[in-house]
Amino acid sequence: MAPRNPEHTDRTDRTDTVDPAALGLIPAPRTLTAAPSGQPYPLGHDTPLSAAPGTEGVARWLRTTLGAATGLPLAEGTGDRGIVLAVDAELAPEAYRLAVGTDAVRLTGGSAAGVFRGAQTLRQLLGPDAFRRAPLTASRAWEVPAVVVEDEPRFGWRGMMLDVSRHFLPKDDVLRYLDLLAAHKLNVFHFHLTDDQGWRIEIKRYPRLTEVGSWRSRTKYGHRASELWDETPYGGFYTQDDIREIVAYAAERHIRVVPEIDIPGHSQAAISAYPELGNTDVIDTTTLSVWDTWGVNPNVLAPTDNTLRFFEGVLEEVLELFPAETSPFVHMGGDECPKDQWKESPLAQARIAELGVKDEDGLQSWFIRHFDAWLTERGRRLIGWDEILEGGLAEGAAVSSWRGYGGGIAAAEAGHDVVMCPEQQVYLDHRQDGGPDEPMPIGYVRSLEDVYRFEPVPPGLSEEAARHILGTQANVWTEVMQNRARVDYQVFPRLAAFAEVAWSALPAPADRDFAAFDARMTAHYARLDALGVDYRPPGGPYPRQQRPGVLGFPREGAPPVV
């Protein structure tokens, strides 16, 4: 039965649905119904691909990706048959409608981004082999099931943060993760580029940031309680051309990149390269090297004009590498900044008096406010971890709420935009199970189902404050993830559950049908297999994924809701 007025259908009274488990679409679309024809649409060597103005980039992606997997040329078409891409400005920007008819597969989006999101659904509909890089057989028949999908995201910010400072991922691995984000309809890549353990972005006016700051002499193996060390010198960084390539690759997939330059804490790598950035009246900063272990580091930036000018120079190059169209937000960290050195520093105390701020929290606020104003003047927005609320927050700054919901609630009620990423819920470095075989287990147990029941908008927010919740992201800190395989293990399959939380219009957490989601994951595991993702199997880690005897930092019990 054809839907009434298919462009504006009441989503609550549809009876012509198909079995979602059979197709395994993840994230779940708003509506999935049987197409009026009832017949799948075959794809062959003569199937054209027509791209209306604004969709040319999506057409290139389809030819490159589906063409490689299927062996089909998807030659350029101009008619109304084959795969037909179009933009309809009456749809929301990331909304799309995919309709399979007897003469064409029509994919219409509210913008090129919407068409691209729909292209991910088209790829899923073709089955797991559509995620391979070459056809398994030349004689394979390809067909698109007879469905109509109408879909749009719940949140505009659907992201993942990847820490490449603690353990570096080579450029090709970053590009691969952008593809994985795109496959799950995520649209923000938060790129954590600097920390105590390594500076990962080339800054030409300050070459020692990478000459010195990107390398450490050894690395703690395991978490802080571990007595094991890897004595191999460790490091790496992205050249400016690497960064340009990553940003362009993300833009082709309609993913925003949020670069993070962490200040005033988490800065020992920078201080090791340029000792004058540290609190030289408290410690001999020339003795500092890039940090080789984990935790909260006491060595923070000095509150001097020289420090401000230095990081303005850094940011001038960062803004050139991350253009505003792709990166309207710049993340300035602001988290875990111990104040002990400032309390002992005559220079810092004089600065507090000069500025007329109350205390060291006010000094940190001064740092953040300075760069908020600096970025605003250049058409960008500052975002930082929720500690930037301490001492007062600049008017235009946004908050990544990581310590729980509390910081995000306070920020939203005060009129600030918020990205919800509480560690108790969506830190994917936290262990997935309480069993003894989890490799280097840290944090609370956050199973696939736990992530699926995460709710980004906390109950009790006023209607006005709720409008300030931009969305949500999952965070991936890599202290115990030495390579791509370990990142895969921690991130997947949970990123699939998170993607559905961020995209789909789900009921309240207790009412979510996890069993139905888990059934759809059967098809999705096959896609991840085709993509070569080294995910955690549902039954527990393979022996090669375990790390027996390497201590982590597990926390017991249910995580607090704070």
Side-chain angles (χ1 to χ4, degrees), residues 505-518:
L506 298 177
D511 298 328
R512 293 177 189 172
D513 191 346
F514 176 73
F517 170 80
D518 202 33

Side-chain angles (χ1 to χ4, degrees), residues 156-225:
W157 185 303
R158 308 179 305 280
M160 188 188 89
M161 187 227 69
L162 181 62
D163 165 24
V164 295
S165 179
R166 276 50 177 267
H167 280 100
F168 178 71
L169 277 188
K171 180 200 67 180
D172 283 355
D173 289 343
V174 174
L175 299 179
R176 172 179 176 267
Y177 256 86
L178 290 171
D179 280 329
L180 291 172
L181 297 189
H184 291 82
K185 297 188 174 71
L186 299 176
N187 68 345
V188 174
F189 177 58
H190 177 166
F191 205 8
H192 184 81
L193 290 162
T194 74
D195 217 295
D196 300 302
Q197 294 86 359
W199 184 283
R200 305 295 179 209
I201 178 172
E202 179 187 28
I203 303 297
K204 291 186 180 296
R205 75 187 69 182
Y206 302 126
R208 286 178 59 82
L209 285 172
T210 46
E211 291 171 358
V212 174
S214 70
W215 293 92
R216 58 181 182 255
S217 61
R218 65 174 188 169
T219 301
K220 173 72 76 173
Y221 188 61
H223 215 262
R224 280 169 280 179

Side-chain angles (χ1 to χ4, degrees), residues 351-366:
R351 196 94 212 209
I352 289 173
E354 173 194 340
L355 296 170
V357 297
K358 181 180 178 182
D359 53 19
E360 290 77 20
D361 285 342
L363 196 57
Q364 175 165 340
S365 177
W366 166 76

Side-chain angles (χ1 to χ4, degrees), residues 121-171:
T121 297
L122 174 61
R123 189 186 188 191
Q124 289 195 14
L125 288 170
L126 288 171
D129 287 346
F131 289 77
R132 297 188 179 277
R133 296 185 184 181
L136 301 185
T137 173
S139 61
R140 162 75 183 265
W142 296 90
E143 59 183 24
V144 187
V147 295
V148 175
V149 181
E150 294 175 279
D151 203 7
E152 63 181 283
R154 179 185 178 193
F155 292 108
W157 185 303
R158 308 179 305 280
M160 188 188 89
M161 187 227 69
L162 181 62
D163 165 24
V164 295
S165 179
R166 276 50 177 267
H167 280 100
F168 178 71
L169 277 188
K171 180 200 67 180

Side-chain angles (χ1 to χ4, degrees), residues 100 169 229 290 363 382 464 491:
V100 179
L169 277 188
W229 294 87
V290 178
L363 196 57
L382 181 144
E464 174 64 24
V491 171

